[in-house]
Amino acid sequence: MNLYEFEGKELFAAFGIPVPRGSVVREPEEARAAFNTIGGRVVVKAQALSGKRGKAGAIRFCESKEAAERAARELLVMRLGGQPVIAVRVEEALEIAREHYLSITYDTMAKQPVLIYSASGGMDIEEVAESEIVRVPLDIRERSVPAGLLPRQVHVIAQALWQCFLETDARQVEVNPLAELADGRLVAADAKIALDDDAFFRHKEWEDYEERSLMGRELTERETAVKAIDEGEGYYRGTAGKYIEMDGDIAVLFSGGGASIANMDALIQHGLKPANYTEYSGNPPREKVAALARIVLSKPGLRGLWIAGGVANFTNVAETFQGIIDALDEVKPAYPIVVRRAGPFEQEGMELMRACAARNSLRMTLFGKEVPMGETAAELAKQVNR
Ligand code: GDP
Ligand code: MN
């Protein structure tokens, strides 16, 4: 889950990282009081789950409360990179002498966190010359950042940022710019934090964060319900919590991330419109898949169901099918159902599907690995349009 800048700054402050004084404003009129509290030049910053606000004109400097209100009024109705602006943060305008860059994220090659620092910040780190970047691999068993690799002041902030990363179960924390003021103090002028969704079960406090989605709209009822499937469990096995609602009428239940994207294309190429995007993976247990399938099938107006996946390596096809079957036994859809799947326990899985189709008189067609996935979309299209 990505955090808004103001949420990131709240966390930074809690870990002792200096942030500009300021407050969150949701109505333009409130910007006046916020301006008065700061007493001087302010910067009004749009809060949206999108970067590059500076370039988009969503960071405004204001010298009066009238100007602050006007800026808030304009920013609050903006969208940035498809994302709504849900609030603005009115904060003291800093006198920035120099912009640094500091972040911690996972290095997927080294398979450990890495701290990235550059004295040339403000811009995207991708645009900074490699020679100006310091990378410090971090060991999650150590609470401290190795000494002697960063300027002394930066090291102090880096140390706090590392605590923040570890204790909040972040996937990424980024301070860009880390502003150096004229007197040498360092202040986090921006905050970007991505939390690790898989750590939800040990962070009750995350429930207080308002709902958000990267789709730039509120979650639908079914999306919210699916999200809950993987949350809060005491164990971890497989995911069945991915569901994006779309405006078509063909329900899909995909397994595996890559193939499922190709499947969406195949579906559309054959003139069908997906009712949803869904994907379960990592060998989830029957109950999780059943919960997911029930929600997928609950969408009104469906005209077909496509259950598709590649050749699984270790996902138990029979077990996951059993979850889908639990839902089919309840819903007993009248529309055509096309299944394409292979992998461990595929024979047993197909047998279970056949039995389910027979006892519920379902219009079901089964395919194994001998037929390419995309072709089975053509079969579904034929049946739906019959
Ligand atoms: P982003 O564009 O979404 O990453 O938003 P930032 O919060 O990083 O702001 C973009 C740029 O605006 C920064 O790199 C700074 O140059 C500038 N900026 C932001 N806050 C302040 C501030 O308080 N004072 C000054 N002088 N510049 C600021
Ligand atoms: Mn920034």
Side-chain angles (χ1 to χ4, degrees):
M1 178 168 77
N2 295 339
L3 298 187
Y4 290 98
E5 177 194 19
F6 72 93
E7 295 167 332
K9 282 181 169 168
E10 280 167 15
L11 282 176
F12 282 178
F15 284 89
I17 299 168
V19 298
R21 286 183 301 127
S23 58
V24 178
V25 163
R26 293 183 191 257
E27 299 295 336
E29 302 75 29
E30 296 167 12
R32 291 169 166 264
F35 178 92
N36 288 336
T37 309
I38 289 161
R41 192 162 178 259
V42 300
V43 51
V44 180
K45 307 179 76 176
Q47 302 297 300
L49 296 177
S50 168
K52 307 207 168 101
R53 293 165 302 167
K55 283 177 199 152
I59 308 276
R60 307 271 178 89
F61 294 89
C62 302
E63 312 270 355
S64 69
K65 56 181 188 292
E66 290 76 22
E69 177 179 344
R70 201 174 326 118
R73 191 176 302 284
E74 288 172 21
L75 295 180
L76 281 167
V77 295
M78 275 175 79
R79 292 180 85 84
L80 298 169
Q83 294 293 320
V85 174
I86 63 144
V88 296
R89 191 171 195 271
V90 179
E91 56 183 37
E92 58 177 322
L94 306 167
E95 287 306 325
I96 301 180
R98 179 165 195 145
E99 302 194 344
H100 302 245
Y101 175 95
L102 183 65
S103 73
I104 300 174
T105 187
Y106 281 99
D107 180 338
T108 49
M109 298 304 276
K111 297 190 168 59
Q112 69 184 110
V114 60
L115 178 146
I116 301 169
Y117 167 72
S118 176
S120 309
M123 56 186 128
D124 286 349
I125 191 69
E126 290 80 9
E127 292 164 24
V128 178
E130 200 50 45
S131 60
E132 291 179 27
I133 298 177
V134 181
R135 285 172 208 275
V136 183
L138 296 170
D139 184 335
I140 55 160
R141 293 161 299 188
E142 303 287 341
R143 306 298 289 185
S144 53
V145 174
L149 300 170
L150 299 166
R152 196 178 52 82
Q153 291 267 54
V154 175
H155 187 271
V156 176
I157 307 274
Q159 184 58 40
L161 194 64
W162 180 222
Q163 300 314 309
C164 176
F165 181 90
L166 287 172
E167 283 174 37
T168 61
D169 284 313
R171 281 152 38 87
Q172 188 193 21
V173 290
E174 185 186 74
V175 192
N176 188 27
L178 173 61
E180 179 183 332
L181 310 186
D183 61 9
R185 279 188 300 135
L186 293 174
V187 178
D190 192 8
K192 196 167 137 193
I193 297 184
L195 300 173
D196 187 343
D197 292 332
D198 290 338
F200 198 97
F201 70 95
R202 56 183 181 198
H203 291 278
K204 264 263 163 275
E205 76 278 11
W206 290 2
E207 286 169 20
D208 296 338
Y209 286 125
E210 52 203 280
E211 281 290 337
R212 65 204 59 194
S213 94
L214 287 174
M215 286 168 289
R217 58 163 168 78
E218 309 240 308
L219 293 183
T220 70
E221 211 175 302
R222 275 177 287 275
E223 284 168 349
T224 305
V226 170
K227 233 177 116 214
I229 294 175
D230 296 324
E231 285 172 2
E233 58 179 2
Y235 67 108
Y236 186 82
R237 195 184 123 195
T239 54
K242 288 185 204 131
Y243 178 84
I244 299 171
E245 200 144 271
M246 301 185 171
D247 52 14
D249 49 19
I250 305 297
V252 301
L253 279 163
F254 294 148
S255 37
S260 64
I261 299 294
N263 283 346
M264 293 297 269
D265 288 343
L267 201 63
I268 291 160
Q269 267 165 23
H270 288 96
L272 298 178
K273 288 207 178 110
N276 64 286
Y277 169 81
T278 303
E279 187 252 314
Y280 63 87
S281 58
N283 202 18
R286 171 178 178 173
E287 313 83 70
K288 275 195 182 182
V289 182
L292 173 69
R294 276 189 196 101
I295 298 167
V296 167
L297 297 180
S298 74
K299 191 176 177 192
L302 296 177
R303 292 172 62 222
L305 169 62
W306 193 23
I307 302 168
V311 183
N313 280 323
F314 78 103
T315 293
N316 184 324
V317 172
E319 162 113 7
T320 47
F321 269 14
Q322 189 63 72
I324 296 175
I325 289 167
D326 289 341
L328 290 175
D329 279 337
E330 291 164 23
V331 179
K332 307 185 203 314
Y335 43 75
I337 302 170
V338 167
V339 182
R340 194 280 190 187
R341 185 66 165 143
F345 300 96
E346 57 182 35
Q347 296 302 339
E348 292 85 340
M350 291 297 176
E351 214 33 68
L352 290 167
M353 275 293 180
R354 256 190 288 275
C356 168
R359 69 176 167 269
N360 296 304
S361 313
L362 305 180
R363 295 159 65 191
M364 183 187 283
T365 317
L366 297 165
F367 295 100
K369 59 177 169 290
E370 67 286 351
V371 183
M373 257 185 290
E375 279 181 27
T376 69
E379 176 61 28
L380 182 63
K382 208 171 77 192
Q383 295 192 26
V384 168
N385 296 324
R386 186 169 287 157

PDB file of all heavy atoms in Angstrom, residues 354-386:
ATOM      1  N   ARG A 354     -15.759 -32.003 -13.879  1.00  0.00           N
ATOM      2  CA  ARG A 354     -16.758 -32.741 -14.664  1.00  0.00           C
ATOM      3  C   ARG A 354     -17.935 -33.133 -13.778  1.00  0.00           C
ATOM      4  O   ARG A 354     -19.101 -32.990 -14.157  1.00  0.00           O
ATOM      5  CB  ARG A 354     -16.127 -33.993 -15.277  1.00  0.00           C
ATOM      6  CG  ARG A 354     -15.827 -33.832 -16.771  1.00  0.00           C
ATOM      7  CD  ARG A 354     -15.434 -35.156 -17.416  1.00  0.00           C
ATOM      8  NE  ARG A 354     -14.088 -35.574 -16.980  1.00  0.00           N
ATOM      9  CZ  ARG A 354     -12.966 -35.159 -17.564  1.00  0.00           C
ATOM     10  NH1 ARG A 354     -13.011 -34.357 -18.604  1.00  0.00           N
ATOM     11  NH2 ARG A 354     -11.800 -35.554 -17.116  1.00  0.00           N
ATOM     12  N   ALA A 355     -17.631 -33.632 -12.588  1.00  0.00           N
ATOM     13  CA  ALA A 355     -18.686 -34.078 -11.665  1.00  0.00           C
ATOM     14  C   ALA A 355     -19.553 -32.888 -11.255  1.00  0.00           C
ATOM     15  O   ALA A 355     -20.785 -32.989 -11.169  1.00  0.00           O
ATOM     16  CB  ALA A 355     -18.057 -34.732 -10.432  1.00  0.00           C
ATOM     17  N   CYS A 356     -18.915 -31.752 -11.023  1.00  0.00           N
ATOM     18  CA  CYS A 356     -19.644 -30.534 -10.636  1.00  0.00           C
ATOM     19  C   CYS A 356     -20.579 -30.111 -11.772  1.00  0.00           C
ATOM     20  O   CYS A 356     -21.752 -29.783 -11.541  1.00  0.00           O
ATOM     21  CB  CYS A 356     -18.651 -29.423 -10.307  1.00  0.00           C
ATOM     22  SG  CYS A 356     -19.386 -27.789 -10.157  1.00  0.00           S
ATOM     23  N   ALA A 357     -20.043 -30.141 -13.014  1.00  0.00           N
ATOM     24  CA  ALA A 357     -20.851 -29.759 -14.175  1.00  0.00           C
ATOM     25  C   ALA A 357     -22.045 -30.692 -14.310  1.00  0.00           C
ATOM     26  O   ALA A 357     -23.169 -30.249 -14.574  1.00  0.00           O
ATOM     27  CB  ALA A 357     -19.995 -29.794 -15.435  1.00  0.00           C
ATOM     28  N   ALA A 358     -21.819 -31.997 -14.096  1.00  0.00           N
ATOM     29  CA  ALA A 358     -22.888 -32.987 -14.252  1.00  0.00           C
ATOM     30  C   ALA A 358     -23.995 -32.778 -13.213  1.00  0.00           C
ATOM     31  O   ALA A 358     -25.178 -32.713 -13.562  1.00  0.00           O
ATOM     32  CB  ALA A 358     -22.306 -34.397 -14.147  1.00  0.00           C
ATOM     33  N   ARG A 359     -23.594 -32.607 -11.945  1.00  0.00           N
ATOM     34  CA  ARG A 359     -24.653 -32.526 -10.921  1.00  0.00           C
ATOM     35  C   ARG A 359     -25.421 -31.207 -10.964  1.00  0.00           C
ATOM     36  O   ARG A 359     -26.538 -31.123 -10.482  1.00  0.00           O
ATOM     37  CB  ARG A 359     -24.093 -32.801  -9.519  1.00  0.00           C
ATOM     38  CG  ARG A 359     -23.177 -31.755  -8.939  1.00  0.00           C
ATOM     39  CD  ARG A 359     -22.754 -32.093  -7.492  1.00  0.00           C
ATOM     40  NE  ARG A 359     -21.652 -31.243  -7.072  1.00  0.00           N
ATOM     41  CZ  ARG A 359     -20.358 -31.547  -7.215  1.00  0.00           C
ATOM     42  NH1 ARG A 359     -20.001 -32.706  -7.743  1.00  0.00           N
ATOM     43  NH2 ARG A 359     -19.436 -30.695  -6.830  1.00  0.00           N
ATOM     44  N   ASN A 360     -24.804 -30.181 -11.585  1.00  0.00           N
ATOM     45  CA  ASN A 360     -25.490 -28.887 -11.659  1.00  0.00           C
ATOM     46  C   ASN A 360     -25.960 -28.540 -13.075  1.00  0.00           C
ATOM     47  O   ASN A 360     -26.436 -27.437 -13.314  1.00  0.00           O
ATOM     48  CB  ASN A 360     -24.565 -27.770 -11.161  1.00  0.00           C
ATOM     49  CG  ASN A 360     -24.193 -27.919  -9.703  1.00  0.00           C
ATOM     50  OD1 ASN A 360     -25.067 -28.000  -8.840  1.00  0.00           O
ATOM     51  ND2 ASN A 360     -22.904 -27.990  -9.413  1.00  0.00           N
ATOM     52  N   SER A 361     -25.823 -29.501 -13.994  1.00  0.00           N
ATOM     53  CA  SER A 361     -26.151 -29.270 -15.412  1.00  0.00           C
ATOM     54  C   SER A 361     -25.520 -27.978 -15.948  1.00  0.00           C
ATOM     55  O   SER A 361     -26.195 -27.134 -16.541  1.00  0.00           O
ATOM     56  CB  SER A 361     -27.670 -29.196 -15.622  1.00  0.00           C
ATOM     57  OG  SER A 361     -28.327 -30.245 -14.973  1.00  0.00           O
ATOM     58  N   LEU A 362     -24.210 -27.828 -15.735  1.00  0.00           N
ATOM     59  CA  LEU A 362     -23.512 -26.629 -16.206  1.00  0.00           C
ATOM     60  C   LEU A 362     -23.057 -26.820 -17.646  1.00  0.00           C
ATOM     61  O   LEU A 362     -22.766 -27.946 -18.070  1.00  0.00           O
ATOM     62  CB  LEU A 362     -22.297 -26.326 -15.316  1.00  0.00           C
ATOM     63  CG  LEU A 362     -22.545 -26.186 -13.818  1.00  0.00           C
ATOM     64  CD1 LEU A 362     -21.233 -25.880 -13.096  1.00  0.00           C
ATOM     65  CD2 LEU A 362     -23.580 -25.096 -13.524  1.00  0.00           C
ATOM     66  N   ARG A 363     -22.999 -25.702 -18.384  1.00  0.00           N
ATOM     67  CA  ARG A 363     -22.463 -25.736 -19.762  1.00  0.00           C
ATOM     68  C   ARG A 363     -20.967 -25.503 -19.681  1.00  0.00           C
ATOM     69  O   ARG A 363     -20.497 -24.385 -19.840  1.00  0.00           O
ATOM     70  CB  ARG A 363     -23.134 -24.643 -20.594  1.00  0.00           C
ATOM     71  CG  ARG A 363     -24.631 -24.861 -20.778  1.00  0.00           C
ATOM     72  CD  ARG A 363     -25.312 -23.559 -21.130  1.00  0.00           C
ATOM     73  NE  ARG A 363     -24.887 -23.031 -22.423  1.00  0.00           N
ATOM     74  CZ  ARG A 363     -25.195 -21.793 -22.820  1.00  0.00           C
ATOM     75  NH1 ARG A 363     -25.886 -20.977 -22.036  1.00  0.00           N
ATOM     76  NH2 ARG A 363     -24.797 -21.368 -24.004  1.00  0.00           N
ATOM     77  N   MET A 364     -20.240 -26.583 -19.412  1.00  0.00           N
ATOM     78  CA  MET A 364     -18.810 -26.437 -19.156  1.00  0.00           C
ATOM     79  C   MET A 364     -17.964 -27.171 -20.185  1.00  0.00           C
ATOM     80  O   MET A 364     -18.279 -28.302 -20.549  1.00  0.00           O
ATOM     81  CB  MET A 364     -18.493 -26.953 -17.750  1.00  0.00           C
ATOM     82  CG  MET A 364     -17.046 -26.785 -17.331  1.00  0.00           C
ATOM     83  SD  MET A 364     -16.698 -27.587 -15.768  1.00  0.00           S
ATOM     84  CE  MET A 364     -17.388 -26.443 -14.589  1.00  0.00           C
ATOM     85  N   THR A 365     -16.901 -26.516 -20.660  1.00  0.00           N
ATOM     86  CA  THR A 365     -15.968 -27.150 -21.593  1.00  0.00           C
ATOM     87  C   THR A 365     -14.583 -27.142 -20.956  1.00  0.00           C
ATOM     88  O   THR A 365     -14.129 -26.091 -20.493  1.00  0.00           O
ATOM     89  CB  THR A 365     -15.917 -26.380 -22.930  1.00  0.00           C
ATOM     90  OG1 THR A 365     -17.253 -26.028 -23.307  1.00  0.00           O
ATOM     91  CG2 THR A 365     -15.289 -27.223 -24.016  1.00  0.00           C
ATOM     92  N   LEU A 366     -13.935 -28.293 -20.948  1.00  0.00           N
ATOM     93  CA  LEU A 366     -12.642 -28.418 -20.273  1.00  0.00           C
ATOM     94  C   LEU A 366     -11.505 -28.589 -21.273  1.00  0.00           C
ATOM     95  O   LEU A 366     -11.622 -29.354 -22.230  1.00  0.00           O
ATOM     96  CB  LEU A 366     -12.660 -29.631 -19.335  1.00  0.00           C
ATOM     97  CG  LEU A 366     -13.651 -29.582 -18.167  1.00  0.00           C
ATOM     98  CD1 LEU A 366     -13.814 -30.963 -17.550  1.00  0.00           C
ATOM     99  CD2 LEU A 366     -13.177 -28.594 -17.112  1.00  0.00           C
ATOM    100  N   PHE A 367     -10.399 -27.875 -21.034  1.00  0.00           N
ATOM    101  CA  PHE A 367      -9.202 -28.033 -21.857  1.00  0.00           C
ATOM    102  C   PHE A 367      -7.987 -28.188 -20.960  1.00  0.00           C
ATOM    103  O   PHE A 367      -7.903 -27.577 -19.894  1.00  0.00           O
ATOM    104  CB  PHE A 367      -8.966 -26.795 -22.736  1.00  0.00           C
ATOM    105  CG  PHE A 367     -10.030 -26.574 -23.767  1.00  0.00           C
ATOM    106  CD1 PHE A 367     -11.031 -25.631 -23.539  1.00  0.00           C
ATOM    107  CD2 PHE A 367     -10.031 -27.288 -24.958  1.00  0.00           C
ATOM    108  CE1 PHE A 367     -12.012 -25.407 -24.487  1.00  0.00           C
ATOM    109  CE2 PHE A 367     -11.012 -27.065 -25.913  1.00  0.00           C
ATOM    110  CZ  PHE A 367     -12.011 -26.125 -25.677  1.00  0.00           C
ATOM    111  N   GLY A 368      -7.048 -28.992 -21.436  1.00  0.00           N
ATOM    112  CA  GLY A 368      -5.772 -29.148 -20.727  1.00  0.00           C
ATOM    113  C   GLY A 368      -4.673 -28.429 -21.482  1.00  0.00           C
ATOM    114  O   GLY A 368      -4.948 -27.539 -22.295  1.00  0.00           O
ATOM    115  N   LYS A 369      -3.427 -28.842 -21.241  1.00  0.00           N
ATOM    116  CA  LYS A 369      -2.300 -28.105 -21.824  1.00  0.00           C
ATOM    117  C   LYS A 369      -2.137 -28.310 -23.323  1.00  0.00           C
ATOM    118  O   LYS A 369      -1.365 -27.609 -23.963  1.00  0.00           O
ATOM    119  CB  LYS A 369      -0.994 -28.447 -21.096  1.00  0.00           C
ATOM    120  CG  LYS A 369      -0.593 -29.908 -21.098  1.00  0.00           C
ATOM    121  CD  LYS A 369       0.760 -30.046 -20.402  1.00  0.00           C
ATOM    122  CE  LYS A 369       1.125 -31.486 -20.112  1.00  0.00           C
ATOM    123  NZ  LYS A 369       0.290 -32.089 -19.051  1.00  0.00           N
ATOM    124  N   GLU A 370      -2.884 -29.269 -23.904  1.00  0.00           N
ATOM    125  CA  GLU A 370      -2.781 -29.516 -25.349  1.00  0.00           C
ATOM    126  C   GLU A 370      -3.361 -28.364 -26.164  1.00  0.00           C
ATOM    127  O   GLU A 370      -3.073 -28.212 -27.344  1.00  0.00           O
ATOM    128  CB  GLU A 370      -3.459 -30.852 -25.713  1.00  0.00           C
ATOM    129  CG  GLU A 370      -4.980 -30.921 -25.533  1.00  0.00           C
ATOM    130  CD  GLU A 370      -5.434 -31.007 -24.082  1.00  0.00           C
ATOM    131  OE1 GLU A 370      -4.569 -31.188 -23.195  1.00  0.00           O
ATOM    132  OE2 GLU A 370      -6.643 -30.867 -23.826  1.00  0.00           O
ATOM    133  N   VAL A 371      -4.180 -27.518 -25.546  1.00  0.00           N
ATOM    134  CA  VAL A 371      -4.758 -26.367 -26.256  1.00  0.00           C
ATOM    135  C   VAL A 371      -4.194 -25.072 -25.666  1.00  0.00           C
ATOM    136  O   VAL A 371      -4.263 -24.869 -24.460  1.00  0.00           O
ATOM    137  CB  VAL A 371      -6.304 -26.349 -26.118  1.00  0.00           C
ATOM    138  CG1 VAL A 371      -6.897 -25.197 -26.909  1.00  0.00           C
ATOM    139  CG2 VAL A 371      -6.898 -27.671 -26.560  1.00  0.00           C
ATOM    140  N   PRO A 372      -3.623 -24.202 -26.524  1.00  0.00           N
ATOM    141  CA  PRO A 372      -3.090 -22.936 -25.997  1.00  0.00           C
ATOM    142  C   PRO A 372      -4.195 -22.116 -25.331  1.00  0.00           C
ATOM    143  O   PRO A 372      -5.347 -22.150 -25.777  1.00  0.00           O
ATOM    144  CB  PRO A 372      -2.567 -22.209 -27.241  1.00  0.00           C
ATOM    145  CG  PRO A 372      -2.457 -23.251 -28.299  1.00  0.00           C
ATOM    146  CD  PRO A 372      -3.430 -24.331 -27.972  1.00  0.00           C
ATOM    147  N   MET A 373      -3.814 -21.399 -24.288  1.00  0.00           N
ATOM    148  CA  MET A 373      -4.799 -20.638 -23.503  1.00  0.00           C
ATOM    149  C   MET A 373      -5.648 -19.713 -24.363  1.00  0.00           C
ATOM    150  O   MET A 373      -6.865 -19.685 -24.238  1.00  0.00           O
ATOM    151  CB  MET A 373      -4.084 -19.818 -22.439  1.00  0.00           C
ATOM    152  CG  MET A 373      -4.192 -20.425 -21.073  1.00  0.00           C
ATOM    153  SD  MET A 373      -3.469 -19.374 -19.825  1.00  0.00           S
ATOM    154  CE  MET A 373      -1.748 -19.486 -20.183  1.00  0.00           C
ATOM    155  N   GLY A 374      -4.963 -18.955 -25.231  1.00  0.00           N
ATOM    156  CA  GLY A 374      -5.668 -17.979 -26.052  1.00  0.00           C
ATOM    157  C   GLY A 374      -6.784 -18.601 -26.888  1.00  0.00           C
ATOM    158  O   GLY A 374      -7.849 -18.009 -27.061  1.00  0.00           O
ATOM    159  N   GLU A 375      -6.530 -19.805 -27.391  1.00  0.00           N
ATOM    160  CA  GLU A 375      -7.539 -20.476 -28.224  1.00  0.00           C
ATOM    161  C   GLU A 375      -8.811 -20.784 -27.449  1.00  0.00           C
ATOM    162  O   GLU A 375      -9.904 -20.857 -28.022  1.00  0.00           O
ATOM    163  CB  GLU A 375      -6.972 -21.782 -28.800  1.00  0.00           C
ATOM    164  CG  GLU A 375      -6.124 -21.564 -30.023  1.00  0.00           C
ATOM    165  CD  GLU A 375      -5.595 -22.861 -30.593  1.00  0.00           C
ATOM    166  OE1 GLU A 375      -6.239 -23.913 -30.413  1.00  0.00           O
ATOM    167  OE2 GLU A 375      -4.515 -22.800 -31.204  1.00  0.00           O
ATOM    168  N   THR A 376      -8.655 -21.005 -26.154  1.00  0.00           N
ATOM    169  CA  THR A 376      -9.850 -21.339 -25.374  1.00  0.00           C
ATOM    170  C   THR A 376     -10.724 -20.099 -25.174  1.00  0.00           C
ATOM    171  O   THR A 376     -11.910 -20.208 -24.907  1.00  0.00           O
ATOM    172  CB  THR A 376      -9.499 -22.009 -24.025  1.00  0.00           C
ATOM    173  OG1 THR A 376      -8.887 -21.063 -23.147  1.00  0.00           O
ATOM    174  CG2 THR A 376      -8.593 -23.200 -24.228  1.00  0.00           C
ATOM    175  N   ALA A 377     -10.135 -18.921 -25.358  1.00  0.00           N
ATOM    176  CA  ALA A 377     -10.936 -17.686 -25.343  1.00  0.00           C
ATOM    177  C   ALA A 377     -11.846 -17.668 -26.558  1.00  0.00           C
ATOM    178  O   ALA A 377     -13.004 -17.244 -26.486  1.00  0.00           O
ATOM    179  CB  ALA A 377     -10.037 -16.456 -25.328  1.00  0.00           C
ATOM    180  N   ALA A 378     -11.320 -18.159 -27.697  1.00  0.00           N
ATOM    181  CA  ALA A 378     -12.125 -18.226 -28.922  1.00  0.00           C
ATOM    182  C   ALA A 378     -13.320 -19.143 -28.707  1.00  0.00           C
ATOM    183  O   ALA A 378     -14.445 -18.846 -29.133  1.00  0.00           O
ATOM    184  CB  ALA A 378     -11.268 -18.727 -30.079  1.00  0.00           C
ATOM    185  N   GLU A 379     -13.089 -20.257 -28.024  1.00  0.00           N
ATOM    186  CA  GLU A 379     -14.163 -21.209 -27.743  1.00  0.00           C
ATOM    187  C   GLU A 379     -15.249 -20.554 -26.883  1.00  0.00           C
ATOM    188  O   GLU A 379     -16.450 -20.693 -27.149  1.00  0.00           O
ATOM    189  CB  GLU A 379     -13.573 -22.440 -27.028  1.00  0.00           C
ATOM    190  CG  GLU A 379     -14.597 -23.473 -26.588  1.00  0.00           C
ATOM    191  CD  GLU A 379     -15.378 -24.075 -27.760  1.00  0.00           C
ATOM    192  OE1 GLU A 379     -14.827 -24.116 -28.878  1.00  0.00           O
ATOM    193  OE2 GLU A 379     -16.549 -24.482 -27.547  1.00  0.00           O
ATOM    194  N   LEU A 380     -14.805 -19.816 -25.887  1.00  0.00           N
ATOM    195  CA  LEU A 380     -15.772 -19.136 -25.011  1.00  0.00           C
ATOM    196  C   LEU A 380     -16.589 -18.119 -25.811  1.00  0.00           C
ATOM    197  O   LEU A 380     -17.818 -18.045 -25.667  1.00  0.00           O
ATOM    198  CB  LEU A 380     -15.043 -18.440 -23.848  1.00  0.00           C
ATOM    199  CG  LEU A 380     -15.938 -17.735 -22.827  1.00  0.00           C
ATOM    200  CD1 LEU A 380     -16.857 -18.739 -22.120  1.00  0.00           C
ATOM    201  CD2 LEU A 380     -15.109 -16.972 -21.795  1.00  0.00           C
ATOM    202  N   ALA A 381     -15.890 -17.361 -26.669  1.00  0.00           N
ATOM    203  CA  ALA A 381     -16.579 -16.354 -27.488  1.00  0.00           C
ATOM    204  C   ALA A 381     -17.648 -17.014 -28.350  1.00  0.00           C
ATOM    205  O   ALA A 381     -18.768 -16.519 -28.470  1.00  0.00           O
ATOM    206  CB  ALA A 381     -15.572 -15.606 -28.359  1.00  0.00           C
ATOM    207  N   LYS A 382     -17.288 -18.152 -28.933  1.00  0.00           N
ATOM    208  CA  LYS A 382     -18.228 -18.886 -29.794  1.00  0.00           C
ATOM    209  C   LYS A 382     -19.486 -19.254 -28.996  1.00  0.00           C
ATOM    210  O   LYS A 382     -20.618 -19.068 -29.457  1.00  0.00           O
ATOM    211  CB  LYS A 382     -17.534 -20.157 -30.320  1.00  0.00           C
ATOM    212  CG  LYS A 382     -18.051 -20.641 -31.653  1.00  0.00           C
ATOM    213  CD  LYS A 382     -17.182 -21.766 -32.198  1.00  0.00           C
ATOM    214  CE  LYS A 382     -17.478 -23.077 -31.474  1.00  0.00           C
ATOM    215  NZ  LYS A 382     -16.475 -24.120 -31.762  1.00  0.00           N
ATOM    216  N   GLN A 383     -19.275 -19.776 -27.802  1.00  0.00           N
ATOM    217  CA  GLN A 383     -20.412 -20.231 -26.989  1.00  0.00           C
ATOM    218  C   GLN A 383     -21.270 -19.069 -26.480  1.00  0.00           C
ATOM    219  O   GLN A 383     -22.493 -19.154 -26.446  1.00  0.00           O
ATOM    220  CB  GLN A 383     -19.907 -21.066 -25.813  1.00  0.00           C
ATOM    221  CG  GLN A 383     -19.251 -22.363 -26.255  1.00  0.00           C
ATOM    222  CD  GLN A 383     -19.026 -23.302 -25.083  1.00  0.00           C
ATOM    223  OE1 GLN A 383     -19.730 -23.229 -24.088  1.00  0.00           O
ATOM    224  NE2 GLN A 383     -18.041 -24.185 -25.204  1.00  0.00           N
ATOM    225  N   VAL A 384     -20.579 -17.996 -26.072  1.00  0.00           N
ATOM    226  CA  VAL A 384     -21.326 -16.844 -25.539  1.00  0.00           C
ATOM    227  C   VAL A 384     -22.180 -16.219 -26.627  1.00  0.00           C
ATOM    228  O   VAL A 384     -23.321 -15.790 -26.375  1.00  0.00           O
ATOM    229  CB  VAL A 384     -20.348 -15.806 -24.940  1.00  0.00           C
ATOM    230  CG1 VAL A 384     -21.053 -14.478 -24.658  1.00  0.00           C
ATOM    231  CG2 VAL A 384     -19.722 -16.338 -23.657  1.00  0.00           C
ATOM    232  N   ASN A 385     -21.647 -16.173 -27.844  1.00  0.00           N
ATOM    233  CA  ASN A 385     -22.351 -15.497 -28.941  1.00  0.00           C
ATOM    234  C   ASN A 385     -23.333 -16.407 -29.687  1.00  0.00           C
ATOM    235  O   ASN A 385     -23.978 -15.971 -30.613  1.00  0.00           O
ATOM    236  CB  ASN A 385     -21.345 -14.919 -29.928  1.00  0.00           C
ATOM    237  CG  ASN A 385     -20.499 -13.835 -29.279  1.00  0.00           C
ATOM    238  OD1 ASN A 385     -21.004 -13.073 -28.452  1.00  0.00           O
ATOM    239  ND2 ASN A 385     -19.236 -13.781 -29.621  1.00  0.00           N
ATOM    240  N   ARG A 386     -23.411 -17.633 -29.246  1.00  0.00           N
ATOM    241  CA  ARG A 386     -24.266 -18.577 -29.944  1.00  0.00           C
ATOM    242  C   ARG A 386     -25.726 -18.170 -29.838  1.00  0.00           C
ATOM    243  O   ARG A 386     -26.172 -17.622 -28.850  1.00  0.00           O
ATOM    244  CB  ARG A 386     -24.060 -19.982 -29.322  1.00  0.00           C
ATOM    245  CG  ARG A 386     -24.798 -21.082 -30.082  1.00  0.00           C
ATOM    246  CD  ARG A 386     -24.328 -22.452 -29.594  1.00  0.00           C
ATOM    247  NE  ARG A 386     -22.970 -22.746 -30.097  1.00  0.00           N
ATOM    248  CZ  ARG A 386     -22.160 -23.634 -29.479  1.00  0.00           C
ATOM    249  NH1 ARG A 386     -22.547 -24.226 -28.364  1.00  0.00           N
ATOM    250  NH2 ARG A 386     -20.976 -23.875 -29.992  1.00  0.00           N
TER     251      ARG A 386
END
